[in-house]
Amino acid sequence: MKVTVVQKKCLLAFAVFDFVLLVLFASSFIFKSKKNAIETRETVLMNASLLKSVSSIVISDGSAGGQSVTLNRNDDFWSGTDSVSNTIWPADSQTVRNLMESLVQLRTVRVKASSDDAWEDLGIDDENAFSVKMLDENSNEISALYFGRIDSLTQRIAFRTSKEDTSYETDYDIRSYLNASSSFWSDPFLFPVFLSGNNSASMQSSYRHGTLMPVAPLPEETIHVLKKTFENGSRAVFSVYETENDIVVVPQFYASQSMTQTEQDALRKCNYRYSLSEWSLERILEDWKDE
C-alpha cells in the first residue's frame, strides 16, 4: 500500500504530538519528585562552644501534669532537684555528660515544616512539647529545644529550637534523655560516685537505692545509723527509719577537703531520702557490721 504525502505529514504530526506528550509526562514526574523531595541538613542540636557556659539544665514534660527536673552544675559535681520530691540530690554526672555529648554531635535532620503552623500537629508547641533548656549562671537561656511526636514508621522524633519557626525530625537516640524523672537523673548508688571518688564503671556492683521520696514526717527514732568513710576523706552517715509502708534512708554527706568550696557547699545542701528494700538493708547490715 502506497503512503501518500498527506498521510506522511499526518504520521509525522502524530509522532511530534506523542513526543511532546511524553516530554510533558516525564517532566511532571521530575517536578513532582523535586517537590516531594525530603530536605535534610547536617547540624548539631547545640553549639559545642556554648557548653562551658551551661550552669543548669531544665528538663520538662509538657504533657498535662508533667514532671520537671533541674540539673545544676557545681564545678565537677552535678546536683538535681525535681517537681515531685522537691529535694536536692546528687545527679548521675555521666548521664548528664552523655546528654550534652548527644546535643553537640553532628547529625542529619529532616525539615518537616517552615512555619509555626505545624507545631501543634507535631506536638512541639509550648503547651505540649517536652523541653530541654540550657541556662547560664544568671538563669538566662542559652539554648532551648522542644521535642514532640514520634513518627510511627521512621521512629524519628519531631523537634524545634527556640530561635526559629522551622520544625525538624531527628533520629531516635536523643529520646532516651527525654526523661523528667528524678530516678533517671539521680546518682543510683548509696555511695554517690562523686562522694566516694570512684567512677561509674567500678560502682556497678555497689548498693543501689530505691525510689526518691518527698520529704514527710518520719518516726522519732531510727532503727539504724550507718557510717562510711571513703579513701578520699569524704564521709557519709545513713539514718534508717521504718514507716508503716517503707524503709526510708536519709543520707548526710561530709565532703573531702580536696573538693572545691562550691562542690562542698552543693554536697552539703543535698537533703534527699529514698526507699530501701528489706533484702538490701539486710545485706548492708551484714557487710557493714565491722564498720
Side-chain angles (χ1 to χ4, degrees), residues 91-240:
D92 186 337
S93 296
Q94 185 58 56
T95 302
V96 177
R97 286 193 292 270
N98 291 345
L99 165 64
M100 299 174 92
E101 288 173 4
S102 180
L103 293 177
V104 301
Q105 77 176 31
L106 187 65
R107 62 178 65 230
T108 301
V109 301
R110 295 186 175 188
V111 177
K112 292 290 290 181
S114 58
S115 74
D116 59 6
D117 293 338
W119 287 5
E120 187 174 353
D121 287 341
L122 294 171
I124 55 176
D125 53 310
D126 291 340
E127 291 74 25
N128 297 297
F130 195 108
S131 62
V132 178
K133 298 180 180 180
M134 303 287 181
L135 309 178
D136 65 17
E137 59 182 4
N138 297 315
S139 298
N140 297 316
E141 184 181 292
I142 298 173
S143 173
L145 296 162
Y146 298 85
F147 296 90
R149 293 194 174 88
I150 298 168
D151 188 301
S152 59
L153 294 177
T154 65
Q155 290 298 301
R156 295 185 179 92
I157 187 169
F159 79 96
R160 68 176 173 91
T161 72
S162 60
K163 300 184 184 301
E164 58 180 328
D165 293 341
T166 305
S167 52
Y168 304 90
E169 270 187 346
T170 187
D171 288 334
Y172 189 84
D173 64 312
I174 190 65
R175 189 165 173 248
S176 61
Y177 302 105
L178 303 185
N179 194 319
S181 168
S182 60
S183 298
F184 179 82
W185 293 102
S186 62
D187 186 304
F189 303 109
L190 264 65
F191 313 146
V193 169
F194 186 76
L195 182 77
S196 67
N198 296 317
N199 58 54
S200 297
S202 66
M203 296 285 285
Q204 292 307 310
S205 61
S206 299
Y207 298 112
R208 295 170 181 261
H209 59 67
T211 304
L212 268 60
M213 307 179 70
V215 174
L218 292 171
E220 292 185 6
E221 299 293 329
T222 60
I223 58 172
H224 299 286
V225 176
L226 308 172
K227 300 180 180 180
K228 184 74 174 180
T229 300
F230 304 98
E231 292 183 3
N232 62 8
S234 299
R235 294 183 297 119
V237 177
F238 302 89
S239 299
V240 185

Side-chain angles (χ1 to χ4, degrees), residues 44 51 75 120 129 264 267 282 285:
V44 294
L51 287 182
D75 291 339
E120 187 174 353
Q264 292 184 43
L267 201 56
E282 290 174 1
L285 293 175

Side-chain angles (χ1 to χ4, degrees), residues 82-89 182-183 186 209-218 241-251 271-277:
D82 63 279
S83 59
V84 176
S85 73
N86 290 313
T87 59
I88 301 172
W89 30 265
S182 60
S183 298
S186 62
H209 59 67
T211 304
L212 268 60
M213 307 179 70
V215 174
L218 292 171
Y241 299 85
E242 187 171 21
T243 69
E244 184 177 348
N245 300 312
D246 300 289
I247 295 173
V248 182
V249 178
V250 181
N271 64 346
Y272 69 124
R273 55 188 61 188
Y274 46 79
S275 62
L276 199 66
S277 68

Side-chain angles (χ1 to χ4, degrees), residues 34-54:
K34 288 183 178 179
K35 184 178 179 181
N36 294 334
I38 298 174
E39 182 184 352
T40 62
R41 297 180 186 176
E42 294 291 319
T43 186
V44 294
L45 299 181
M46 181 179 176
N47 193 313
S49 64
L50 299 175
L51 287 182
K52 60 180 179 296
S53 301
V54 174

